[in-house]
Amino acid sequence: MLDAMVESSAVAGVFVVALGMVLTPGPNMIYLVSRSVTQGRRAGIISLGGVAVGFAVYLVATNLGVSALFVAVPELYTAVRLAGAAYLAWLAWNALRPGGVSVFTPQDVSHDPPRRLFTMGLMTSLLNPKIAVMYLSLIPQFVDIDAGDVLAQGLLLGSVQVAVSVGVNLAIVLAAGGIAVFLARRPSWLRVQRYAMGAVLGVLAVSLALDTRSATDGRTG
């Protein structure tokens, strides 16, 4: 039944968009990498569990009408957008500021218990502006209203995003330790990685802050 409602091209479109979004440096990636490097793969996987639940919250909430709330109260959407931009700007500053360190640099920090790891992963996901943009503006563009059962279509297409994001982030968690060792032997590469990530985050923050389109307008990044 769902196969008849959802075109393969729509599934492929969401897959490509989700892959592009998850590969762009953002709060989720930074948190998962930092926890995996400083506390090990198990901590990274527990944190990823929280991130995945955050995806599920967005998936269910947006398909049950939260997007309609943002359309009805545009000021609320603006507040969420600016909060997300501020969060990205803060992450960019931490990467670019004098004395800043790369997320791949092992640090002597206290080890969080599993519950805190999961909770921080969940909160990082819920506050991630990229995920809000994905569910509020991008995925709805692939829903075919004429095919019927819009809720089922939205849930299925959102599930594609969850699968892609969790899969890519799991690979990042598992590889983070090896990447950290590789970069530790090449300090100049570590600095380049830090500045590049900070620059990308800064551009995303400015772009999000200056974007005056509404929740009903389409977005491409």
Side-chain angles (χ1 to χ4, degrees):
M1 181 69 71
L2 283 177
D3 290 341
M5 287 190 298
V6 180
E7 296 284 344
S8 58
S9 59
V11 174
V14 172
F15 179 91
V16 171
V17 170
L19 185 62
M21 293 285 273
V22 74
L23 290 176
T24 304
N28 289 349
M29 180 186 293
I30 291 175
Y31 180 70
L32 293 173
V33 168
S34 64
R35 274 299 145 194
S36 300
V37 170
T38 59
Q39 202 169 334
R41 288 178 177 175
R42 180 173 178 272
I45 292 174
I46 293 173
S47 300
L48 177 58
V51 170
V53 171
F55 291 152
V57 170
Y58 267 113
L59 171 61
V60 174
T62 52
N63 281 286
L64 291 181
V66 171
S67 57
L69 175 62
F70 281 123
V71 172
V73 188
E75 294 80 6
L76 180 59
Y77 179 78
T78 298
V80 171
R81 175 173 58 81
L82 292 178
Y87 187 34
L88 288 176
W90 179 75
L91 292 173
W93 166 247
N94 281 337
L96 297 173
R97 65 182 175 83
V101 296
S102 167
V103 293
F104 289 103
T105 301
Q107 300 181 56
D108 185 16
V109 297
S110 59
H111 284 203
D112 290 335
R115 178 178 296 182
R116 179 171 174 78
L117 290 170
F118 183 90
T119 302
M120 288 300 297
L122 172 61
M123 296 308 298
T124 300
S125 183
L126 292 177
L127 292 174
N128 187 346
K130 291 199 304 177
I131 306 306
V133 168
M134 170 71 74
Y135 280 101
L136 292 173
S137 299
L138 295 181
I139 290 180
Q141 296 182 35
F142 296 95
V143 173
D144 184 358
I145 297 178
D146 295 331
D149 206 338
V150 172
L151 175 61
Q153 289 187 67
L155 291 173
L156 177 62
L157 293 173
S159 297
V160 172
Q161 181 274 330
V162 173
V164 171
S165 297
V166 171
V168 171
N169 279 313
L170 178 59
I172 290 172
V173 165
L174 297 177
I179 295 174
V181 172
F182 176 85
L183 292 175
R185 296 170 180 170
R186 299 163 177 81
S188 59
W189 289 27
L190 203 59
R191 286 193 297 273
V192 169
Q193 182 277 329
R194 177 164 65 89
Y195 292 140
M197 180 170 287
V200 170
L201 290 170
V203 169
L204 289 174
V206 172
S207 176
L208 192 61
L210 296 180
D211 190 349
T212 58
R213 287 175 290 181
S214 68
T216 57
D217 295 330
R219 295 172 187 269
T220 57

